[in-house]
Amino acid sequence: MTAYLLRRLLSLSLSLVAASLVIFLVMEVVPGDPASFMMGINADPQAVAALRTQLGLDQPLPLRYLGWISGLLQGDFGISYTYRVPVSELIAERVVISLPLTLYALALSTLIAFPAGILAASRRNSASDLSVMGATQLGVAIPNFWFAMILVLVFAVNLRWFSAGGFPGWEAGFWPAMKALTLPAIALALPQASILARVMRSSLIDTLNEDFMRTARAKGLSRGQALRRHALRNALIPVLTIIGLQFSFLLAGGIIIENVFYLPGLGRLAFQAITQRDLIVVRSVVILLVFAVIVVTFLVDLAYAAADPRLRRRRT
């Protein structure tokens, strides 16, 4: 198992290096010059050239890439071209909103999907199964930004149970902050719960048809006991994969929801940085998201081994 973990860490480290190189090169070929954007259309060329030198944009690409990577390893993401403050401070201010929102949405998605998927699989082709499948199909089809606007209209404008947007900050208290994240989390969780419930149902149905499940029933276990003791654990492998992918998607893909609810999260920071040609912020946010995806992938691998001992023995 130790050898397997070391191989996975090496593989994921190489993936991170390759991703950093791709991100850096893509940002460099994007049209437009940050210095020209900051100085304006009618800026003096000498002033633009001086700003490029100040920002280090006149250095060769290899030196700039190595300088960026060296800074990342030391926790220095550079200075924002637009805000003129350390990028690490901007990210720290935004990640305390995006990460709790992601975890909140993922928790809601899991709490909805697991019971729904188990109910549909255990009562296949019944009215319950058809109802769950119909609801999940609707959940997948509805765009989350449209659902978010409906939530605002119903619960913020009409019922006035929640605010229509904004974030009071964690200094205002835990519950006011969580209340501000509730509608965005629900909007993000609905389509993810629908996908996860369908995967849970499909995986559980396949597991229920395995020979070892028939053996468990032959030994006297009821259908519910066999499902709880044997089927659920063996059906978790594809479900864990989807949960890992959903965490990465929710963390990186919440830009639309953050803009609908005016949440100052990572997605909104990346969007503003793109419009302002603040490439160093864009690079830093993207590499941070890639790092999060790689860490989650590694954790999902560990969860595989915990859920299925056969995989643990196979990888040693």
Side-chain angles (χ1 to χ4, degrees):
M1 187 66 177
T2 303
Y4 166 75
L5 292 178
L6 291 176
R7 288 196 301 269
R8 289 296 296 159
L9 284 173
L10 178 60
S11 174
L12 295 176
S13 299
L14 294 175
S15 299
L16 185 60
V17 172
S20 69
L21 182 60
V22 172
I23 292 168
F24 182 83
L25 293 177
V26 168
M27 291 296 103
E28 290 302 318
V29 300
V30 171
D33 178 38
S36 299
F37 183 88
M38 294 170 65
M39 296 295 292
I41 299 176
N42 300 319
D44 181 64
Q46 293 182 349
V48 173
L51 182 59
R52 284 181 57 83
T53 301
Q54 180 184 351
L55 297 176
L57 298 176
D58 58 341
Q59 297 179 355
L61 283 180
L63 289 180
R64 289 164 58 190
Y65 173 74
L66 292 176
W68 178 54
I69 293 298
S70 176
L72 291 179
L73 294 176
Q74 300 174 41
D76 180 10
F77 291 83
I79 303 296
S80 167
Y81 299 155
T82 302
Y83 300 100
R84 306 305 298 162
V85 298
V87 177
S88 57
E89 293 184 6
L90 293 174
I91 292 178
E93 292 173 357
R94 308 303 181 97
V95 78
V96 296
I97 299 173
S98 292
L99 184 58
L101 175 60
T102 297
L103 295 174
Y104 194 0
L106 191 63
L108 290 177
S109 171
T110 304
L111 289 174
I112 295 170
F114 270 55
I118 293 171
L119 175 65
S122 60
R123 301 183 181 181
R124 187 181 182 186
N125 295 328
S126 66
S128 300
D129 183 21
L130 295 177
S131 298
V132 169
M133 287 298 97
T136 56
Q137 185 65 44
L138 185 63
V140 172
I142 295 177
N144 58 7
F145 67 87
W146 182 85
F147 184 56
M149 291 187 287
I150 295 299
L151 291 175
V152 170
L153 181 63
V154 174
F155 294 102
V157 177
N158 293 334
L159 298 178
R160 299 182 182 276
W161 290 355
F162 299 90
S163 62
F167 186 72
W170 294 105
E171 60 275 6
F174 178 78
W175 293 114
M178 292 301 291
K179 185 178 180 181
L181 295 178
T182 296
L183 292 185
I186 293 173
L188 286 170
L190 175 68
Q192 305 307 316
S194 302
I195 295 170
L196 191 59
R198 296 177 76 89
V199 173
M200 185 71 191
R201 173 187 179 274
S202 176
S203 179
L204 201 51
I205 288 175
D206 291 341
T207 304
L208 290 172
N209 292 327
E210 294 286 346
D211 291 338
F212 71 87
M213 290 300 298
R214 286 189 284 270
T215 301
R217 293 294 306 278
K219 289 182 177 180
L221 293 181
S222 67
R223 183 177 178 85
Q225 289 174 328
L227 187 148
R228 290 191 300 270
R229 296 183 186 180
H230 301 287
L232 278 178
R233 184 168 184 172
N234 286 276
L236 279 180
I237 299 299
V239 176
L240 290 174
T241 302
I242 297 300
I243 290 177
L245 293 174
Q246 287 185 345
F247 175 85
S248 305
F249 171 79
L250 290 171
L251 185 61
I255 179 172
I256 297 177
I257 297 301
E258 288 181 0
N259 277 280
V260 170
F261 289 96
Y262 300 101
L263 294 176
L266 280 178
R268 200 170 185 204
L269 174 64
F271 177 77
Q272 292 171 340
I274 291 171
T275 58
Q276 296 166 351
R277 297 289 302 158
D278 202 342
L279 299 184
I280 194 167
V281 173
V282 178
R283 283 202 305 256
S284 300
V285 171
V286 173
I287 196 64
L288 180 65
L289 295 176
V290 170
F291 177 74
V293 170
I294 288 175
V295 170
V296 169
T297 301
F298 180 69
L299 294 178
V300 169
D301 282 345
L302 295 181
Y304 284 168
D308 192 341
R310 295 171 299 177
L311 296 177
R312 186 163 58 244
R313 289 192 297 268
R314 192 179 306 163
R315 290 168 174 175
T316 55

